[in-house]
């Protein structure tokens, strides 16, 4: 029995190491997201073993959502385990749970934002997540039930880049049961989330339904193989979308995207809609494409010559057959000028004497203070959504509207990131 467990342990470690090698993870500072559940605790132990003998510093974060009585104890459990392993640990608190709506979805988004902010603050290039082979199959079924298209059914990727951080899933090829056996062999416990058995939650119902689906031939291997084929289909569609973008789209230094509607209209509907969705994501800084029904309404309004809004963006026409997708000023928030990144995509810089200022979209009132804005060869709508610096409600600087005054701003990932980010790597 011991020999069998040892073989299982070796295969889990080998799968983990292969996944990190394939993801191109180098010896550096790595973050590990650990909730206290079996999957993430196994991830922590595997990461610790992998880092030994390497020039690799591990840091761990736990998000306390304050949604269950046991949440505090689970965070303390992870902190205690990290102390034993000599790993720096921080508990991140989510204190703004919505009173209604999709609580699990809100918690998931908050978790990503909190950990992303923590990772950037700690100077971590990558954060490891504990999603398993079982999670991949369950995600496929959940998205199938929601009527997802090719992108959704491609399910989770081993590596994703978001918020300036690489999110790495080195356990996607490892079954959940193998990780439980690995922990048992190591003599390490974990916390059980009662929500995993709560039928109010979709993932719990999907886990139970999988037993019946297997009798119909829809076992884990079949689901994951189908998700893999969806990844291949998605790649082909994204390459075609990038080719269309190179022909009909022009991202601007103002963070907007100009689109030749006539040429774009000749493309197949799927590719055309993908390009519009990508333009909306790039301009808004969103991680998610809009829902299909909303995107179709947006496209119809666009080709009807109407101004239209979606995903925090506004599309306007000129008299040359072009449409421009710009950031919607009302969707942008005021931030301290020292925040470094404004609206999720602008890198902003201020001199020391203006550290007390704030950064906000230029807007109508700011534009009136910039008589030289017309010299920038950009549309009024695009310039109004560029960063500007204010002190005591007085405009100090609008770098992209001809009023620099020691301040600066530029798209953090550059204009060409519009084309480079179309294809999922």
């Amino acid at each position: 029995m011991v020999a069998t467990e040892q073989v299982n342990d070796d295969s889990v470690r080998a799968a983990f190491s292969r996944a990190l090698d394939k993801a191109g993870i180098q010896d550096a500072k790595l973050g590990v997201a650990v909730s206290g559940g079996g999957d993430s605790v196994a991830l922590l132990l595997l990461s610790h073993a992998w880092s030994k003998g390497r020039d690799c510093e591990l840091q761990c974060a736990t998000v306390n959502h304050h949604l269950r009585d046991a949440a505090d104890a689970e965070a303390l459990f992870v902190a205690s385990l990290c102390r034993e392993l000599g790993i720096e640990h921080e508990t991140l608190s989510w204190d703004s749970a919505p009173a209604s709506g999709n609580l699990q979805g809100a918690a998931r988004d908050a978790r990503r934002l909190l950990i992303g902010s923590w990772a950037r603050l700690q100077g971590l290039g990558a954060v490891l997540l504990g999603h398993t082979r079982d999670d991949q199959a369950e995600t496929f079924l959940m998205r199938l039930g929601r009527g997802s298209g090719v992108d959704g059914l491609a399910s989770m990727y081993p590596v994703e880049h978001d918020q300036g951080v690489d999110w790495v899933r080195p356990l996607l090829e490892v079954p959940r049961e193998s990780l439980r056996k690995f922990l048992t062999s190591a003599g390490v416990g974990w916390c059980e989330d009662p929500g995993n058995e709560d039928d109010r939650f979709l993932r719990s119902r999907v886990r139970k339904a999988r037993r019946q689906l297997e009798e119909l031939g829809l076992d884990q291997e079949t689901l994951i193989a189908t998700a893999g084929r969806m990844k291949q289909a998605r790649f082909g569609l994204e390459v075609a979308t990038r080719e269309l973008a190179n022909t009909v789209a022009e991202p601007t230094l103002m963070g907007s995207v100009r689109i030749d509607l006539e040429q774009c209209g000749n493309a197949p509907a799927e590719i055309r809609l993908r390009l519009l969705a990508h333009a909306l994501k790039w301009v808004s800084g969103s991680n998610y494409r809009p829902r299909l029904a909303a995107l179709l309404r947006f496209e119809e309004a666009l080709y009807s010559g109407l101004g239209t809004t979606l995903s925090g963006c506004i599309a306007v026409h000129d008299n040359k057959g072009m449409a421009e997708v710009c950031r919607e000023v009302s969707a942008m928030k005021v931030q301290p000028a020292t925040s470094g990144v404004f609206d999720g995509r602008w890198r902003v810089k201020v001199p020391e004497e203006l550290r007390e200022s704030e950064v906000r979209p230029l807007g109508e009132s700011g534009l009136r203070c910039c008589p030289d804005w017309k010299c920038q060869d950009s549309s009024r709508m695009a310039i109004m959504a560029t960063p500007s610096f204010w002190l005591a409600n007085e405009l100090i600087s609008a770098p992209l509207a001809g009023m620099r005054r020691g301040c600066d701003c530029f798209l953090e990932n550059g204009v060409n990131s519009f084309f480079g980010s179309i294809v999922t790597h």
Side-chain angles (χ1 to χ4, degrees), residues 117-145:
S117 177
W118 166 79
R120 291 193 304 274
L121 188 64
Q122 301 300 323
L124 308 177
V127 174
L128 307 186
L129 304 174
H131 295 118
T132 67
R133 194 168 182 81
D134 299 73
D135 291 315
Q136 185 76 296
E138 290 159 9
T139 297
F140 178 88
L141 286 172
M142 291 167 67
R143 293 181 179 178
L144 182 65

Side-chain angles (χ1 to χ4, degrees), residues 230-260:
M230 291 299 102
K231 284 183 173 66
Q232 292 177 348
R234 179 179 183 176
F235 177 75
L237 292 168
E238 288 176 340
V239 168
T241 303
R242 184 174 59 190
E243 291 174 354
L244 177 64
N246 284 327
T247 302
V248 307
E250 177 194 355
T252 77
L253 291 173
M254 304 297 162
S256 63
V257 179
R258 291 169 52 80
I259 299 173
D260 185 321

Side-chain angles (χ1 to χ4, degrees), residues 234 237-243 245-246 274-275 278 417-425:
R234 179 179 183 176
L237 292 168
E238 288 176 340
V239 168
T241 303
R242 184 174 59 190
E243 291 174 354
N246 284 327
R274 281 177 173 271
L275 176 58
H278 180 70
S417 67
F418 172 78
F419 300 105
S421 56
I422 292 176
V423 176
T424 303
H425 297 284

Side-chain angles (χ1 to χ4, degrees), residues 73 103-104 108 187 210 212 216 227 243 255 258 271 403 425:
L103 185 59
Q104 281 201 319
R108 181 183 61 249
R210 278 181 54 193
Q212 295 175 297
L216 301 175
E243 291 174 354
R258 291 169 52 80
I271 307 304
M403 185 192 290
H425 297 284

Side-chain angles (χ1 to χ4, degrees), residues 137-192:
E138 290 159 9
T139 297
F140 178 88
L141 286 172
M142 291 167 67
R143 293 181 179 178
L144 182 65
R146 289 197 293 261
S148 295
V150 169
D151 290 13
L153 296 180
S155 300
M156 294 182 285
Y157 282 75
V159 182
E160 291 180 284
H161 188 78
D162 178 34
Q163 303 180 58
V165 177
D166 285 332
W167 304 82
V168 184
R169 300 180 175 95
L171 300 177
L172 275 186
E173 294 299 321
V174 182
R176 184 177 293 132
E177 183 60 27
S178 295
L179 295 177
R180 298 300 190 273
K181 291 178 179 178
F182 169 76
L183 290 176
T184 301
S185 175
V188 176
W190 63 90
C191 304
E192 290 289 358

